[in-house]
Amino acid sequence: MKFLNFKIPHSLSLLSPRRTCSFSSQKTQLNKHPLSRKTFFQSNTKDSLISHLCDQKRLREAVQLLSQIDQPPSASIYSNLIQLCVQHRALEEGKKVHAHTKASGFVPGVFICNRFLDMYVKCGSLRDAQKVFDEMPERDLCSWNTMISGYAKVGKLDEARNLFDEMPERDNFSWTAMISGYVHHSQPKEALNLYRMMLRHENSKSNKFTVTSALAASAAIPNLRMGKEIHGNIVRIGLDSDEVVWSALSDMYGKCGSIEQARHIFDKMVDKDVVSWTAMIDKYFEDGRREKGFDLFSEFMRSGIRPNDFTFAGVLNACADHAAEDLGKQVHGYMTRIGFDPFSFAASALVHMYSKCGSIEDAKRVFKGMPRPDLVSWTSLIAGYAQNGQPNEALKLFELLLKSGTQPDHITFVGVLSACTHAGLVDKGLEYFHSIKEKHGLKHTADHYACIIDLLARAGRFGEAEDIIDKMPMKPDKFLWASLLGGCRIHRNLELAKRAAEALFEIEPENPATYVTLANIYATAGMWGEVAKVRKAMDDKGVVKKPGLSWIEIKREKHEFLVGDKSHPKSHDIHNFLGELSKRMKEKGYVPDTNFVLHDVEEEQKEQNLSYHSEKLAVAFGIISTPPGTTIRHQPITSKESTQVLYLSYLCG
DNA sequence: ATAGGGTTAG
């Protein structure tokens, strides 16, 4: 081996005055000249020392040692070094190695060039990769594919596609890189076009990689017909023995709305791994079938396969959505036992879960335990404070965020603006609103506009609100108009209420809430003729106000209530409690504020006959069925069809 | 050597 090394650094002879001497005579020369011999010996040792350092993953030292030798080491040493740079995502060191090849006069072949391409791509410097690619005298399929995949992964799809179209021939790697690039960057249709093109024109046969990408595309559209077609292909070609293919297939059915089919495939899988389990569990959550999801989750826990951060994040988000803090706490405990990455999104999902459940102290504790909280955690906590009656804490936290050097994004500002709304800080809110664009260089989103209109309308500053609406660069959405309508109701602004309602009738004519609110505004103003007109319009259009339905969960059992509901077995106790409660409230001097009734006029009239609103019934039942001091959480369901439904959950302590 | 499945915040 050492003898071989002797041959490679022929530039060694540069050190010796006799460059032209032959191999054997040089050896003799070396023997005769102690200095030359020492140099040779050192270089030789350094080569093997670099190899040794590479084996030990000591990248820094290896590169430092490399910089001390002027002549190129063997190609395999370069290769090892580059690979190590890739592993460490060490762009700086990688550049040093690259510079060394140039300085030492090493002429890299395609193989080493491809390594450099891969290194630059993985370290995130596509510019350097492109430069290497441009300078390559000779390229192979791998060179092209590495570039295409590099561009496709970061969403530079045009660049990727240009290379793809330009390359002389394509293989499965090229197709997969391109198709998955489209899938991951919201162009699933283009992905499927490409897949069809592959089937048509090229002789490339599908393999498990191309079909999984195509399945992901069908899932993202979603296109069940195409998904089924690919399923057929898979069976025909015999690719149905691969875990990932199965998983993608199950995912496709789930995303295309056939959750039963997804489960069917999931059940048939022999070697389910953490990804297939997690995906199936999340399917149930997305489908709103949380019991099923939680059941499958506990089944997974018993399977012996180790869950990962995706699993935890998925379940915790489901807990957050359902204010299921008891389960969230259990998951937290489990995570602590088996360990989780405090830098990962499982950690921020914890902050989110506790914030959403109203346990802001727990959220803060998790947040403080994070070595470097990410933006999602900051945002969750800020929004959590805003929602849980501590808007000033939310704003303080936001100022801390700015000091920490983390850049807020548009979602952070939704939390900030809603904090201002809750705190009634109108001018401060306006200041933040303007800073979004001016100080942070972000674009105002429809959400920001809805927030700021909500803020101004609640404060009765309708002139400014209208001014902003008229100047905004996009069409106001339904949330904005609904906020405005709500503000008009508080401040009895009939004119603007009409404008808001008309806009809402156009956007969502089928939503009864608009009619009800407008009728209420007219009723408050005593304009009964207008109330009747709104009612008639509702009837004419066939819009039906669904009765408000509320439910509360006591010990995992759901109890439902309609307005004026007397069918519950405990109905008598509930009504006694509520009667007692309003008696005591009146004694304390409480006067009901009719501006803030949550229900429509008809229901209000019912209430005068002691026909209680469903929320009141549910909360009352919760209070009398639980020990004193128990937290009762409420979670508005924001699905399209039932905006007035409340979800209340009693959590065992 | 280059490619595939599940993913947070109002």
Side-chain angles (χ1 to χ4, degrees), chain A residues 266-502:
Chain A
F266 176 81
D267 286 337
K268 283 213 299 199
M269 288 163 70
V270 188
D271 294 310
K272 294 192 253 292
D273 66 2
V274 58
V275 178
S276 21
W277 277 98
T278 305
M280 193 64 232
I281 293 166
D282 288 341
K283 287 273 136 39
Y284 283 120
F285 291 141
E286 281 156 28
D287 202 41
R289 293 161 72 175
R290 67 191 178 103
E291 286 306 327
K292 271 271 194 194
F294 288 144
D295 286 348
L296 196 61
F297 173 69
S298 53
E299 204 181 305
F300 177 44
M301 291 286 131
R302 281 180 264 122
S303 76
I305 300 168
R306 202 174 191 278
N308 65 14
D309 293 341
F310 284 95
T311 324
F312 293 137
V315 179
L316 288 172
N317 285 326
C319 292
D321 289 343
H322 295 101
E325 197 195 2
D326 52 347
L327 185 65
K329 270 210 161 82
Q330 283 176 35
V331 176
H332 187 182
Y334 188 78
M335 285 165 72
T336 313
R337 277 204 299 286
I338 74 162
F340 65 98
D341 180 1
F343 287 94
S344 75
F345 48 68
S348 52
L350 269 177
V351 179
H352 171 54
M353 184 275 293
Y354 281 123
S355 298
K356 267 302 225 5
C357 292
S359 300
I360 205 76
E361 287 306 316
D362 287 312
K364 196 166 85 183
R365 206 167 302 129
V366 176
F367 182 84
K368 285 201 164 164
M370 294 173 78
R372 201 180 149 71
D374 62 352
L375 185 60
V376 174
S377 306
W378 282 102
T379 303
S380 298
L381 199 57
I382 289 170
Y385 274 121
Q387 271 170 16
N388 286 286
Q390 299 184 58
N392 290 313
E393 283 301 312
L395 296 179
K396 260 193 225 162
L397 199 64
F398 179 66
E399 294 301 329
L400 271 178
L401 162 71
L402 294 182
K403 269 192 206 137
S404 81
T406 310
Q407 267 304 313
D409 72 356
H410 65 283
I411 299 172
T412 317
F413 277 105
V414 175
V416 172
L417 293 176
S418 83
C420 294
T421 303
H422 288 290
L425 297 167
V426 186
D427 291 315
K428 188 116 189 161
L430 280 168
E431 205 180 291
Y432 281 128
F433 179 77
H434 292 305
S435 80
I436 294 173
K437 208 168 161 184
E438 286 154 20
K439 236 164 87 188
H440 300 280
L442 297 166
K443 275 190 189 145
H444 281 137
T445 64
D447 289 338
H448 297 151
Y449 280 107
C451 282
I452 201 73
I453 296 306
D454 192 25
L455 182 64
L456 290 168
R458 275 172 200 266
R461 289 161 66 163
F462 294 111
E464 289 158 88
E466 276 197 281
D467 203 38
I468 288 179
I469 292 173
D470 293 335
K471 279 186 192 147
M472 61 190 276
M474 66 200 72
K475 243 181 119 135
D477 65 6
K478 58 178 181 179
F479 301 107
L480 184 149
W481 290 120
S483 296
L484 187 67
L485 189 62
C488 291
R489 175 177 177 158
I490 299 168
H491 297 280
R492 308 184 180 198
N493 185 332
L494 279 170
E495 277 316 300
L496 205 51
K498 266 191 249 171
R499 183 181 172 189
E502 265 158 32

Side-chain angles (χ1 to χ4, degrees), chain A residues 97-275:
Chain A
V97 177
H98 191 199
H100 192 271
T101 59
K102 289 184 174 168
S104 68
F106 177 81
V107 181
V110 184
F111 182 86
I112 292 290
C113 284
N114 286 348
R115 285 278 200 203
F116 276 124
L117 285 180
D118 181 46
M119 186 273 291
Y120 281 127
V121 163
K122 294 249 170 74
C123 293
S125 180
L126 280 165
R127 267 179 52 174
D128 287 304
Q130 184 69 54
K131 228 171 108 190
V132 174
F133 184 77
D134 290 340
E135 286 165 6
M136 282 172 75
E138 187 194 336
R139 298 166 189 144
D140 62 6
L141 267 166
C142 180
S143 329
W144 290 91
N145 291 340
T146 304
M147 287 309 295
I148 291 170
S149 149
Y151 281 122
K153 276 217 172 78
V154 299
K156 298 195 167 180
L157 294 168
D158 291 339
E159 282 89 340
R161 186 57 184 265
N162 286 341
L163 287 171
F164 181 85
D165 290 337
E166 206 183 300
M167 67 196 291
E169 52 166 344
R170 293 158 201 93
D171 64 2
N172 273 323
F173 287 87
S174 339
W175 287 102
T176 312
M178 206 59 234
I179 293 171
S180 69
Y182 281 125
V183 174
H184 288 136
H185 295 93
S186 325
Q187 295 188 51
K189 285 192 178 157
E190 197 50 47
L192 273 193
N193 284 343
L194 216 57
Y195 179 69
R196 290 199 191 94
M197 203 162 119
M198 184 190 91
L199 295 180
R200 263 201 324 266
H201 293 298
E202 303 273 327
N203 291 327
S204 332
K205 269 198 197 147
S206 299
N207 68 1
K208 55 187 185 177
F209 294 97
T210 54
V211 295
T212 21
S213 299
L215 282 173
S218 314
I221 292 178
N223 183 339
L224 183 60
R225 208 183 49 77
M226 189 64 192
K228 278 184 174 166
E229 216 171 282
I230 300 167
H231 187 174
N233 290 339
I234 290 167
V235 177
R236 224 178 7 260
I237 316 167
L239 293 170
D240 50 356
S241 60
D242 185 87
E243 174 67 16
V244 178
V245 171
W246 276 96
S247 193
L249 205 49
S250 170
D251 182 54
M252 182 276 295
Y253 279 113
K255 293 234 172 86
C256 292
S258 301
I259 193 164
E260 301 306 335
Q261 186 66 18
R263 179 61 192 258
H264 182 68
I265 287 173
F266 176 81
D267 286 337
K268 283 213 299 199
M269 288 163 70
V270 188
D271 294 310
K272 294 192 253 292
D273 66 2
V274 58
V275 178

